[in-house]
Amino acid sequence: MTTSISRGPYKPGRIREQSRDLILQAAEAEFACHGFRGATMQRIAESAQVPKANIHYYFSNKLGLYGAVLENTLNLWDTVFNELSSQDDPAHVLGRYIDAKMNFSRTNPTASRLFAKEMISGAPHLSAYLQQDYRLWFKQRMSIFESWIAQGKMDDLDPAHVIFMIWASTQYYADFEPQILIATEAQSQSEASYRQAANSIKHIILKGCGI
Amino acid sequence: MTTSISRGPYKPGRIREQSRDLILQAAEAEFACHGFRGATMQRIAESAQVPKANIHYYFSNKLGLYGAVLENTLNLWDTVFNELSSQDDPAHVLGRYIDAKMNFSRTNPTASRLFAKEMISGAPHLSAYLQQDYRLWFKQRMSIFESWIAQGKMDDLDPAHVIFMIWASTQYYADFEPQILIATEAQSQSEASYRQAANSIKHIILKGCGI
DNA sequence: TCAATACTTGTCTATATAGTCAACTTTTCA
DNA sequence: TGAAAAGTTGACTATATAGACAAGTATTGA
């Protein structure tokens, strides 16, 4: 770790950011595919086409690199999370949210997989995030659903299960891609196929919730 | 590998089966938590409380052990898969299937997680299974849905997405347990909470499909 | 231009890991 | 009961892996 007090001259340097990003991208793919323990610094280095020692210049160690990757990913999630805003029309809000989540699955499949792997492993590196930002977000959204229910705008369902169902369904298309490709007999999931899937999910969730 | 031609006497031995099962169980947990690469033979041995060399007496190598664990798991899946049978009443059939899948998630969470990890990694060790048994099963179930649609018993949705949604939602409770526990502010998922979740899923899926 | 700082990387080390092996104990059955 | 087969396990090896380090090169700003 370079803990320079940085009182001197010199510039922030965009080399730093560029190199870090390159490594982070390679690391995200490796961690998403093999998990924290299964990933190796060597393979990340090869994938990023830098010497292994270079990674240790920018990141203290494997855990530090993993933490940086996770942080990167969570920042992406947040923007999607906030799509589920408090508005009057549930159909519109939920429709937009499902579209946003599906779009995220399509454009950031590795981020989704990384998150899933971490969860399946018991989320040992996410407890802080889950206990704070996530918990708060979840409570707030729960109350949105509850107000809809109170106003008779949707069926009297436990909002938690509705949220879980939306997350599960939308992330499935990123996380379980091999299964989907074989079931649908396709080589890859096109943007159109994602749109169709989003429409099906919206149909079932909205109608199923009595919206 | 003991490649004895076994023309001699001796018995099949239940010691074999007992030890194998013990190791397989420990291996399932380890592979489910850390994936194939991240799992270590040493930790599996410690968890099963046998010396590492003992594992190599029963299983040729790490890949062989992983294959045996996967095979074990897939056999469990099959029994749940077949719950989705061809009957006249969609509500009854789908209801039973969702209950069966949720029950599987509750009683075999590690099996579900193992499968999920393998999928997220690109299913490198499942191509044979996916291409054969799974593909066939999927086609057959698709046609069941199609006949329901033709008979006007449910909305005209792509059956694939309905099946994906059921799988995604039911497996979510096993795979993403940490997220669920924190969201619901619980220490563990009780049988009752699983039943509630199953009821919500059934409500949304059945109503959402117009059944 | 030049000195300070940022960045790069080949080489090295300690440890962890998969897998082997041969000596050993237990179980079986004739 | 005893010999053959099944099962057990401590000690070993080769390799992979995370990480350190120092000697180097590139970049910056005064």
Side-chain angles (χ1 to χ4, degrees):
Chain A
M1 284 280 272
T2 49
T3 45
S4 66
I5 306 163
S6 143
R7 51 143 168 67
Y10 213 62
K11 241 178 60 188
R14 56 207 72 94
I15 293 178
R16 187 171 194 82
E17 210 158 340
Q18 205 173 342
S19 293
R20 267 181 62 102
D21 274 5
L22 185 71
I23 293 166
L24 280 173
Q25 210 174 331
E28 182 184 307
E30 173 78 4
F31 283 128
C33 191
H34 301 296
F36 175 67
R37 286 205 160 111
T40 78
M41 300 296 269
Q42 183 60 49
R43 241 195 311 271
I44 293 170
E46 278 162 18
S47 167
Q49 288 182 298
V50 298
K52 186 164 65 95
N54 201 353
I55 298 181
H56 281 96
Y57 175 72
Y58 287 107
F59 301 94
S60 52
N61 52 27
K62 193 182 179 183
L63 190 61
L65 175 57
Y66 187 65
V69 169
L70 271 185
E71 200 184 321
N72 241 20
T73 302
L74 289 180
N75 286 338
L76 284 176
W77 279 110
D78 276 349
T79 66
V80 185
F81 273 3
N82 294 329
E83 195 74 33
L84 183 44
S85 59
S86 139
Q87 277 191 16
D88 275 345
D89 181 22
H92 183 244
V93 173
L94 280 191
R96 270 181 64 92
Y97 183 61
I98 290 169
D99 280 332
K101 276 224 86 228
M102 278 300 270
N103 211 43
F104 185 84
S105 279
R106 185 175 62 83
T107 54
N108 301 80
T110 49
S112 180
R113 288 173 197 140
L114 180 82
F115 192 75
K117 277 242 159 116
E118 173 69 15
M119 277 293 157
I120 296 174
S121 298
H125 306 285
L126 282 180
S127 51
Y129 167 77
L130 287 177
Q131 292 288 349
Q132 288 166 27
D133 305 63
Y134 166 76
R135 204 189 189 101
L136 183 67
W137 180 91
F138 197 85
K139 278 186 180 177
Q140 291 172 341
R141 309 305 138 149
M142 288 273 284
S143 68
I144 297 176
F145 279 85
E146 275 156 12
S147 78
W148 286 339
I149 293 170
Q151 293 169 51
K153 288 181 176 172
M154 65 172 279
D155 293 350
D156 184 14
L157 291 158
D158 184 338
H161 297 307
V162 181
I163 296 177
F164 293 153
M165 242 183 119
I166 293 174
W167 280 347
S169 303
T170 52
Q171 285 171 214
Y172 197 81
Y173 288 83
D175 302 345
F176 287 70
E177 191 170 53
Q179 208 177 15
I180 286 166
L181 290 180
I182 283 172
T184 58
E185 300 189 338
Q187 296 296 315
S188 67
Q189 294 187 81
S190 65
E191 195 177 337
S193 74
Y194 262 97
R195 239 194 324 271
Q196 278 192 315
N199 286 336
S200 295
I201 293 172
K202 281 187 281 186
H203 176 105
I204 293 172
I205 291 282
L206 294 182
K207 185 171 179 180
C209 290
I211 296 176
Chain B
M1 284 278 271
T2 48
T3 44
S4 66
I5 306 162
S6 142
R7 50 139 168 70
Y10 214 64
K11 243 179 61 189
R14 55 206 73 95
I15 293 178
R16 187 170 195 83
E17 210 158 339
Q18 205 173 341
S19 293
R20 267 182 62 102
D21 274 4
L22 184 71
I23 294 166
L24 280 173
Q25 210 174 330
E28 183 184 306
E30 172 77 4
F31 284 128
C33 190
H34 301 295
F36 175 67
R37 287 208 160 109
T40 78
M41 300 297 268
Q42 184 59 48
R43 241 195 312 270
I44 294 170
E46 278 161 18
S47 167
Q49 288 183 298
V50 298
K52 187 166 64 96
N54 200 353
I55 299 180
H56 281 96
Y57 175 71
Y58 287 107
F59 300 94
S60 51
N61 52 28
K62 193 183 181 183
L63 190 62
L65 174 58
Y66 186 66
V69 169
L70 270 185
E71 200 184 321
N72 241 20
T73 302
L74 290 179
N75 286 338
L76 284 176
W77 280 111
D78 276 348
T79 66
V80 184
F81 273 3
N82 294 329
E83 196 75 30
L84 183 46
S85 59
S86 138
Q87 278 190 17
D88 276 345
D89 181 22
H92 182 244
V93 172
L94 281 190
R96 271 181 63 93
Y97 184 61
I98 290 170
D99 279 332
K101 276 225 87 229
M102 279 299 269
N103 212 44
F104 185 83
S105 279
R106 185 174 61 83
T107 53
N108 301 81
T110 49
S112 181
R113 288 174 197 140
L114 180 83
F115 193 74
K117 277 243 158 116
E118 172 69 15
M119 276 295 158
I120 296 172
S121 298
H125 306 285
L126 282 180
S127 51
Y129 167 77
L130 288 176
Q131 291 288 349
Q132 288 167 27
D133 306 61
Y134 166 77
R135 204 189 189 102
L136 183 67
W137 180 91
F138 197 87
K139 278 187 181 177
Q140 291 172 340
R141 309 304 138 151
M142 287 274 284
S143 67
I144 296 175
F145 280 85
E146 275 156 12
S147 78
W148 286 339
I149 293 169
Q151 292 167 52
K153 289 180 175 170
M154 65 173 279
D155 292 351
D156 185 14
L157 292 158
D158 185 338
H161 297 307
V162 180
I163 296 177
F164 293 154
M165 241 182 120
I166 293 173
W167 281 347
S169 304
T170 53
Q171 285 170 213
Y172 196 80
Y173 288 83
D175 301 346
F176 287 70
E177 192 170 51
Q179 207 176 17
I180 287 165
L181 290 181
I182 283 172
T184 58
E185 299 190 338
Q187 295 298 316
S188 67
Q189 295 187 80
S190 65
E191 195 178 337
S193 74
Y194 261 98
R195 239 196 323 271
Q196 278 191 317
N199 286 336
S200 294
I201 293 172
K202 281 186 282 186
H203 177 105
I204 293 172
I205 291 283
L206 293 181
K207 185 172 180 179
C209 289
I211 294 175

Short mmCIF file of all heavy atoms in Angstrom, two decimals, chain A residues 91-138:
data_model
loop_
_atom_site.label_atom_id
_atom_site.label_comp_id
_atom_site.label_asym_id
_atom_site.label_seq_id
_atom_site.Cartn_x
_atom_site.Cartn_y
_atom_site.Cartn_z
N ALA A 91 -48.31 -0.30 -11.27
CA ALA A 91 -48.05 -0.96 -12.55
C ALA A 91 -46.85 -0.31 -13.24
O ALA A 91 -45.95 -0.98 -13.74
CB ALA A 91 -49.28 -0.89 -13.44
N HIS A 92 -46.85 1.01 -13.23
CA HIS A 92 -45.78 1.73 -13.88
C HIS A 92 -44.45 1.53 -13.16
O HIS A 92 -43.43 1.23 -13.77
CB HIS A 92 -46.14 3.23 -13.94
CG HIS A 92 -45.13 4.06 -14.64
ND1 HIS A 92 -44.40 5.04 -14.02
CD2 HIS A 92 -44.70 4.02 -15.93
CE1 HIS A 92 -43.57 5.59 -14.88
NE2 HIS A 92 -43.73 4.99 -16.05
N VAL A 93 -44.48 1.67 -11.84
CA VAL A 93 -43.25 1.56 -11.05
C VAL A 93 -42.66 0.16 -11.16
O VAL A 93 -41.46 -0.02 -11.44
CB VAL A 93 -43.53 1.91 -9.57
CG1 VAL A 93 -42.30 1.62 -8.73
CG2 VAL A 93 -43.93 3.37 -9.44
N LEU A 94 -43.49 -0.85 -10.94
CA LEU A 94 -42.98 -2.22 -10.99
C LEU A 94 -42.52 -2.59 -12.39
O LEU A 94 -41.51 -3.28 -12.57
CB LEU A 94 -44.04 -3.21 -10.51
CG LEU A 94 -44.20 -3.33 -9.00
CD1 LEU A 94 -45.09 -4.51 -8.65
CD2 LEU A 94 -42.86 -3.48 -8.32
N GLY A 95 -43.27 -2.14 -13.38
CA GLY A 95 -42.89 -2.42 -14.76
C GLY A 95 -41.51 -1.86 -15.07
O GLY A 95 -40.65 -2.55 -15.63
N ARG A 96 -41.31 -0.61 -14.68
CA ARG A 96 -40.01 0.01 -14.91
C ARG A 96 -38.90 -0.71 -14.16
O ARG A 96 -37.80 -0.89 -14.67
CB ARG A 96 -40.05 1.48 -14.46
CG ARG A 96 -40.48 2.47 -15.55
CD ARG A 96 -40.45 3.88 -15.00
NE ARG A 96 -39.11 4.32 -14.61
CZ ARG A 96 -38.28 4.98 -15.42
NH1 ARG A 96 -38.67 5.29 -16.65
NH2 ARG A 96 -37.09 5.34 -15.01
N TYR A 97 -39.21 -1.11 -12.92
CA TYR A 97 -38.18 -1.77 -12.11
C TYR A 97 -37.78 -3.11 -12.71
O TYR A 97 -36.60 -3.44 -12.79
CB TYR A 97 -38.70 -1.95 -10.68
CG TYR A 97 -37.67 -2.55 -9.76
CD1 TYR A 97 -36.47 -1.91 -9.51
CD2 TYR A 97 -37.88 -3.78 -9.14
CE1 TYR A 97 -35.52 -2.45 -8.67
CE2 TYR A 97 -36.94 -4.33 -8.28
CZ TYR A 97 -35.76 -3.66 -8.06
OH TYR A 97 -34.82 -4.20 -7.24
N ILE A 98 -38.78 -3.87 -13.14
CA ILE A 98 -38.47 -5.17 -13.74
C ILE A 98 -37.65 -4.97 -15.02
O ILE A 98 -36.67 -5.69 -15.27
CB ILE A 98 -39.77 -5.96 -14.03
CG1 ILE A 98 -40.39 -6.41 -12.71
CG2 ILE A 98 -39.49 -7.16 -14.93
CD1 ILE A 98 -41.79 -6.97 -12.83
N ASP A 99 -38.03 -3.98 -15.81
CA ASP A 99 -37.24 -3.70 -17.01
C ASP A 99 -35.81 -3.32 -16.66
O ASP A 99 -34.85 -3.78 -17.29
CB ASP A 99 -37.89 -2.56 -17.81
CG ASP A 99 -39.05 -3.05 -18.65
OD1 ASP A 99 -39.03 -4.23 -19.04
OD2 ASP A 99 -39.97 -2.26 -18.92
N ALA A 100 -35.65 -2.50 -15.62
CA ALA A 100 -34.31 -2.06 -15.23
C ALA A 100 -33.48 -3.24 -14.75
O ALA A 100 -32.30 -3.37 -15.09
CB ALA A 100 -34.41 -1.00 -14.13
N LYS A 101 -34.09 -4.11 -13.96
CA LYS A 101 -33.35 -5.26 -13.44
C LYS A 101 -32.97 -6.22 -14.56
O LYS A 101 -31.88 -6.79 -14.58
CB LYS A 101 -34.15 -5.99 -12.35
CG LYS A 101 -33.98 -5.37 -10.98
CD LYS A 101 -33.77 -6.42 -9.89
CE LYS A 101 -32.34 -6.86 -9.70
NZ LYS A 101 -32.10 -8.25 -9.64
N MET A 102 -33.88 -6.43 -15.49
CA MET A 102 -33.57 -7.32 -16.61
C MET A 102 -32.47 -6.72 -17.47
O MET A 102 -31.60 -7.42 -17.97
CB MET A 102 -34.82 -7.57 -17.46
CG MET A 102 -35.72 -8.62 -16.89
SD MET A 102 -34.92 -10.24 -16.74
CE MET A 102 -35.32 -10.94 -18.34
N ASN A 103 -32.53 -5.42 -17.63
CA ASN A 103 -31.50 -4.75 -18.41
C ASN A 103 -30.14 -4.88 -17.73
O ASN A 103 -29.11 -5.04 -18.39
CB ASN A 103 -31.87 -3.27 -18.57
CG ASN A 103 -31.36 -2.72 -19.87
OD1 ASN A 103 -31.48 -3.38 -20.91
ND2 ASN A 103 -30.77 -1.53 -19.83
N PHE A 104 -30.17 -4.83 -16.41
CA PHE A 104 -28.93 -5.00 -15.67
C PHE A 104 -28.38 -6.42 -15.85
O PHE A 104 -27.18 -6.61 -16.06
CB PHE A 104 -29.17 -4.71 -14.18
CG PHE A 104 -27.91 -4.76 -13.37
CD1 PHE A 104 -27.08 -3.67 -13.28
CD2 PHE A 104 -27.55 -5.92 -12.69
CE1 PHE A 104 -25.91 -3.71 -12.53
CE2 PHE A 104 -26.39 -5.98 -11.94
CZ PHE A 104 -25.57 -4.87 -11.86
N SER A 105 -29.26 -7.40 -15.78
CA SER A 105 -28.83 -8.79 -15.98
C SER A 105 -28.21 -8.98 -17.36
O SER A 105 -27.24 -9.71 -17.52
CB SER A 105 -30.02 -9.75 -15.83
OG SER A 105 -30.30 -10.00 -14.47
N ARG A 106 -28.78 -8.30 -18.33
CA ARG A 106 -28.30 -8.47 -19.70
C ARG A 106 -26.96 -7.77 -19.92
O ARG A 106 -26.06 -8.33 -20.55
CB ARG A 106 -29.33 -7.90 -20.70
CG ARG A 106 -28.97 -8.13 -22.16
CD ARG A 106 -30.08 -7.66 -23.07
NE ARG A 106 -30.33 -6.23 -22.95
CZ ARG A 106 -29.64 -5.29 -23.58
NH1 ARG A 106 -28.65 -5.63 -24.39
NH2 ARG A 106 -29.92 -4.02 -23.41
N THR A 107 -26.81 -6.58 -19.35
CA THR A 107 -25.60 -5.80 -19.62
C THR A 107 -24.50 -6.04 -18.60
O THR A 107 -23.35 -5.74 -18.87
CB THR A 107 -25.93 -4.30 -19.67
OG1 THR A 107 -26.60 -3.91 -18.47
CG2 THR A 107 -26.83 -3.99 -20.86
N ASN A 108 -24.86 -6.58 -17.43
CA ASN A 108 -23.84 -6.85 -16.41
C ASN A 108 -23.96 -8.26 -15.85
O ASN A 108 -24.08 -8.43 -14.63
CB ASN A 108 -23.95 -5.84 -15.26
CG ASN A 108 -23.79 -4.42 -15.72
OD1 ASN A 108 -24.73 -3.83 -16.25
ND2 ASN A 108 -22.61 -3.87 -15.56
N PRO A 109 -23.91 -9.26 -16.71
CA PRO A 109 -24.10 -10.62 -16.20
C PRO A 109 -23.05 -11.04 -15.19
O PRO A 109 -23.37 -11.72 -14.21
CB PRO A 109 -24.05 -11.49 -17.46
CG PRO A 109 -23.35 -10.67 -18.47
CD PRO A 109 -23.64 -9.24 -18.15
N THR A 110 -21.81 -10.63 -15.39
CA THR A 110 -20.77 -11.07 -14.44
C THR A 110 -20.98 -10.44 -13.07
O THR A 110 -20.73 -11.09 -12.05
CB THR A 110 -19.36 -10.74 -14.94
OG1 THR A 110 -19.31 -9.39 -15.35
CG2 THR A 110 -18.95 -11.63 -16.09
N ALA A 111 -21.43 -9.20 -13.03
CA ALA A 111 -21.72 -8.57 -11.74
C ALA A 111 -22.79 -9.36 -11.01
O ALA A 111 -22.70 -9.61 -9.81
CB ALA A 111 -22.17 -7.13 -11.94
N SER A 112 -23.81 -9.77 -11.75
CA SER A 112 -24.89 -10.54 -11.14
C SER A 112 -24.36 -11.88 -10.61
O SER A 112 -24.70 -12.30 -9.51
CB SER A 112 -25.98 -10.78 -12.18
OG SER A 112 -27.03 -11.52 -11.61
N ARG A 113 -23.50 -12.50 -11.39
CA ARG A 113 -22.97 -13.81 -10.99
C ARG A 113 -22.04 -13.70 -9.79
O ARG A 113 -22.04 -14.55 -8.90
CB ARG A 113 -22.21 -14.45 -12.16
CG ARG A 113 -23.13 -14.94 -13.25
CD ARG A 113 -22.36 -15.41 -14.49
NE ARG A 113 -23.27 -15.48 -15.63
CZ ARG A 113 -22.96 -15.11 -16.86
NH1 ARG A 113 -21.74 -14.65 -17.13
NH2 ARG A 113 -23.85 -15.20 -17.82
N LEU A 114 -21.24 -12.65 -9.78
CA LEU A 114 -20.36 -12.43 -8.64
C LEU A 114 -21.16 -12.32 -7.36
O LEU A 114 -20.85 -12.96 -6.35
CB LEU A 114 -19.57 -11.14 -8.86
CG LEU A 114 -18.60 -10.76 -7.76
CD1 LEU A 114 -17.30 -11.51 -7.93
CD2 LEU A 114 -18.35 -9.27 -7.73
N PHE A 115 -22.20 -11.51 -7.42
CA PHE A 115 -23.07 -11.30 -6.27
C PHE A 115 -23.72 -12.62 -5.85
O PHE A 115 -23.76 -12.95 -4.66
CB PHE A 115 -24.14 -10.27 -6.66
CG PHE A 115 -24.92 -9.74 -5.53
CD1 PHE A 115 -24.38 -8.82 -4.66
CD2 PHE A 115 -26.23 -10.16 -5.33
CE1 PHE A 115 -25.12 -8.31 -3.60
CE2 PHE A 115 -26.97 -9.66 -4.27
CZ PHE A 115 -26.42 -8.74 -3.41
N ALA A 116 -24.18 -13.38 -6.81
CA ALA A 116 -24.83 -14.66 -6.52
C ALA A 116 -23.86 -15.62 -5.84
O ALA A 116 -24.20 -16.26 -4.85
CB ALA A 116 -25.37 -15.28 -7.80
N LYS A 117 -22.65 -15.71 -6.38
CA LYS A 117 -21.65 -16.62 -5.77
C LYS A 117 -21.39 -16.24 -4.33
O LYS A 117 -21.27 -17.10 -3.46
CB LYS A 117 -20.35 -16.56 -6.58
CG LYS A 117 -20.35 -17.46 -7.80
CD LYS A 117 -19.27 -18.53 -7.70
CE LYS A 117 -19.60 -19.70 -8.60
NZ LYS A 117 -18.63 -19.90 -9.68
N GLU A 118 -21.26 -14.95 -4.09
CA GLU A 118 -20.98 -14.48 -2.74
C GLU A 118 -22.14 -14.84 -1.80
O GLU A 118 -21.91 -15.27 -0.68
CB GLU A 118 -20.73 -12.97 -2.77
CG GLU A 118 -20.60 -12.31 -1.43
CD GLU A 118 -19.33 -12.67 -0.67
OE1 GLU A 118 -18.40 -13.23 -1.29
OE2 GLU A 118 -19.29 -12.42 0.55
N MET A 119 -23.36 -14.68 -2.29
CA MET A 119 -24.53 -15.01 -1.49
C MET A 119 -24.57 -16.50 -1.17
O MET A 119 -24.82 -16.90 -0.04
CB MET A 119 -25.81 -14.65 -2.25
CG MET A 119 -26.21 -13.21 -2.15
SD MET A 119 -26.71 -12.85 -0.47
CE MET A 119 -26.45 -11.09 -0.48
N ILE A 120 -24.36 -17.31 -2.19
CA ILE A 120 -24.44 -18.75 -2.00
C ILE A 120 -23.39 -19.23 -1.01
O ILE A 120 -23.58 -20.19 -0.29
CB ILE A 120 -24.27 -19.47 -3.36
CG1 ILE A 120 -25.42 -19.10 -4.28
CG2 ILE A 120 -24.21 -20.98 -3.18
CD1 ILE A 120 -25.27 -19.64 -5.68
N SER A 121 -22.27 -18.53 -0.97
CA SER A 121 -21.21 -18.90 -0.03
C SER A 121 -21.51 -18.41 1.38
O SER A 121 -20.69 -18.57 2.27
CB SER A 121 -19.87 -18.34 -0.50
OG SER A 121 -19.51 -18.89 -1.76
N GLY A 122 -22.65 -17.77 1.57
CA GLY A 122 -23.01 -17.29 2.88
C GLY A 122 -22.70 -15.82 3.09
O GLY A 122 -22.77 -15.32 4.21
N ALA A 123 -22.34 -15.14 2.02
CA ALA A 123 -22.10 -13.68 2.04
C ALA A 123 -21.13 -13.24 3.11
O ALA A 123 -21.37 -12.26 3.82
CB ALA A 123 -23.42 -12.94 2.19
N PRO A 124 -19.98 -13.94 3.27
CA PRO A 124 -19.04 -13.59 4.35
C PRO A 124 -18.44 -12.20 4.19
O PRO A 124 -18.00 -11.62 5.16
CB PRO A 124 -17.97 -14.68 4.26
CG PRO A 124 -18.01 -15.14 2.84
CD PRO A 124 -19.45 -15.03 2.44
N HIS A 125 -18.42 -11.69 2.96
CA HIS A 125 -17.78 -10.40 2.74
C HIS A 125 -18.81 -9.29 2.50
O HIS A 125 -18.46 -8.20 2.07
CB HIS A 125 -16.84 -10.47 1.53
CG HIS A 125 -15.84 -11.57 1.62
ND1 HIS A 125 -14.74 -11.50 2.44
CD2 HIS A 125 -15.77 -12.79 1.04
CE1 HIS A 125 -14.04 -12.62 2.35
NE2 HIS A 125 -14.64 -13.42 1.50
N LEU A 126 -20.07 -9.60 2.73
CA LEU A 126 -21.12 -8.61 2.46
C LEU A 126 -21.94 -8.26 3.69
O LEU A 126 -22.92 -7.52 3.58
CB LEU A 126 -22.07 -9.15 1.37
CG LEU A 126 -21.58 -9.09 -0.06
CD1 LEU A 126 -22.64 -9.65 -0.99
CD2 LEU A 126 -21.24 -7.66 -0.46
N SER A 127 -21.55 -8.76 4.84
CA SER A 127 -22.39 -8.56 6.02
C SER A 127 -22.60 -7.07 6.30
O SER A 127 -23.71 -6.66 6.63
CB SER A 127 -21.80 -9.26 7.24
OG SER A 127 -20.44 -8.90 7.38
N ALA A 128 -21.54 -6.27 6.16
CA ALA A 128 -21.67 -4.84 6.43
C ALA A 128 -22.70 -4.22 5.49
O ALA A 128 -23.60 -3.51 5.94
CB ALA A 128 -20.32 -4.15 6.27
N TYR A 129 -22.56 -4.53 4.22
CA TYR A 129 -23.50 -3.97 3.23
C TYR A 129 -24.92 -4.43 3.50
O TYR A 129 -25.86 -3.62 3.50
CB TYR A 129 -23.07 -4.39 1.82
CG TYR A 129 -24.11 -4.14 0.77
CD1 TYR A 129 -24.34 -2.87 0.28
CD2 TYR A 129 -24.89 -5.19 0.28
CE1 TYR A 129 -25.31 -2.63 -0.67
CE2 TYR A 129 -25.86 -4.97 -0.67
CZ TYR A 129 -26.07 -3.69 -1.15
OH TYR A 129 -27.03 -3.47 -2.08
N LEU A 130 -25.09 -5.72 3.74
CA LEU A 130 -26.43 -6.26 3.95
C LEU A 130 -27.08 -5.65 5.18
O LEU A 130 -28.27 -5.32 5.18
CB LEU A 130 -26.37 -7.79 4.08
CG LEU A 130 -26.10 -8.57 2.80
CD1 LEU A 130 -25.98 -10.06 3.10
CD2 LEU A 130 -27.19 -8.33 1.77
N GLN A 131 -26.29 -5.50 6.24
CA GLN A 131 -26.83 -4.98 7.50
C GLN A 131 -27.21 -3.51 7.40
O GLN A 131 -28.04 -3.03 8.16
CB GLN A 131 -25.81 -5.17 8.63
CG GLN A 131 -25.56 -6.62 9.02
CD GLN A 131 -26.73 -7.24 9.78
OE1 GLN A 131 -27.65 -6.54 10.20
NE2 GLN A 131 -26.71 -8.57 9.90
N GLN A 132 -26.58 -2.78 6.49
CA GLN A 132 -26.83 -1.35 6.44
C GLN A 132 -27.66 -0.93 5.22
O GLN A 132 -28.88 -0.93 5.25
CB GLN A 132 -25.50 -0.59 6.48
CG GLN A 132 -24.87 -0.66 7.87
CD GLN A 132 -23.44 -0.22 7.87
OE1 GLN A 132 -23.05 0.58 7.04
NE2 GLN A 132 -22.66 -0.73 8.80
N ASP A 133 -26.99 -0.61 4.12
CA ASP A 133 -27.67 -0.06 2.95
C ASP A 133 -28.85 -0.94 2.52
O ASP A 133 -29.96 -0.46 2.32
CB ASP A 133 -26.69 0.04 1.77
CG ASP A 133 -25.46 0.85 2.14
OD1 ASP A 133 -24.73 0.41 3.03
OD2 ASP A 133 -25.26 1.92 1.54
N TYR A 134 -28.57 -2.23 2.39
CA TYR A 134 -29.58 -3.13 1.87
C TYR A 134 -30.81 -3.22 2.78
O TYR A 134 -31.95 -3.13 2.32
CB TYR A 134 -28.96 -4.52 1.68
CG TYR A 134 -29.96 -5.62 1.46
CD1 TYR A 134 -30.59 -5.77 0.23
CD2 TYR A 134 -30.28 -6.50 2.48
CE1 TYR A 134 -31.51 -6.77 0.04
CE2 TYR A 134 -31.19 -7.50 2.30
CZ TYR A 134 -31.81 -7.64 1.07
OH TYR A 134 -32.71 -8.64 0.89
N ARG A 135 -30.52 -3.39 4.06
CA ARG A 135 -31.60 -3.50 5.05
C ARG A 135 -32.52 -2.28 4.98
O ARG A 135 -33.74 -2.40 4.96
CB ARG A 135 -30.97 -3.61 6.43
CG ARG A 135 -31.81 -4.27 7.47
CD ARG A 135 -31.14 -4.10 8.84
NE ARG A 135 -31.77 -4.88 9.87
CZ ARG A 135 -31.31 -6.03 10.33
NH1 ARG A 135 -30.20 -6.53 9.83
NH2 ARG A 135 -31.94 -6.68 11.30
N LEU A 136 -31.89 -1.11 4.93
CA LEU A 136 -32.65 0.14 4.87
C LEU A 136 -33.50 0.20 3.60
O LEU A 136 -34.69 0.50 3.63
CB LEU A 136 -31.68 1.32 4.91
CG LEU A 136 -32.31 2.71 4.93
CD1 LEU A 136 -33.05 2.93 6.23
CD2 LEU A 136 -31.23 3.78 4.75
N TRP A 137 -32.85 -0.09 2.47
CA TRP A 137 -33.55 -0.06 1.20
C TRP A 137 -34.77 -0.97 1.25
O TRP A 137 -35.87 -0.59 0.86
CB TRP A 137 -32.60 -0.51 0.07
CG TRP A 137 -33.25 -0.52 -1.27
CD1 TRP A 137 -33.28 0.50 -2.17
CD2 TRP A 137 -33.96 -1.61 -1.87
NE1 TRP A 137 -33.97 0.12 -3.30
CE2 TRP A 137 -34.39 -1.16 -3.14
CE3 TRP A 137 -34.26 -2.91 -1.47
CZ2 TRP A 137 -35.12 -1.99 -4.01
CZ3 TRP A 137 -34.99 -3.71 -2.33
CH2 TRP A 137 -35.41 -3.25 -3.58
N PHE A 138 -34.53 -2.18 1.77
CA PHE A 138 -35.60 -3.17 1.78
C PHE A 138 -36.80 -2.69 2.60
O PHE A 138 -37.95 -2.79 2.16
CB PHE A 138 -35.07 -4.49 2.35
CG PHE A 138 -35.94 -5.67 2.05
CD1 PHE A 138 -35.79 -6.35 0.85
CD2 PHE A 138 -36.91 -6.10 2.94
CE1 PHE A 138 -36.58 -7.44 0.56
CE2 PHE A 138 -37.71 -7.18 2.65
CZ PHE A 138 -37.54 -7.87 1.46
#
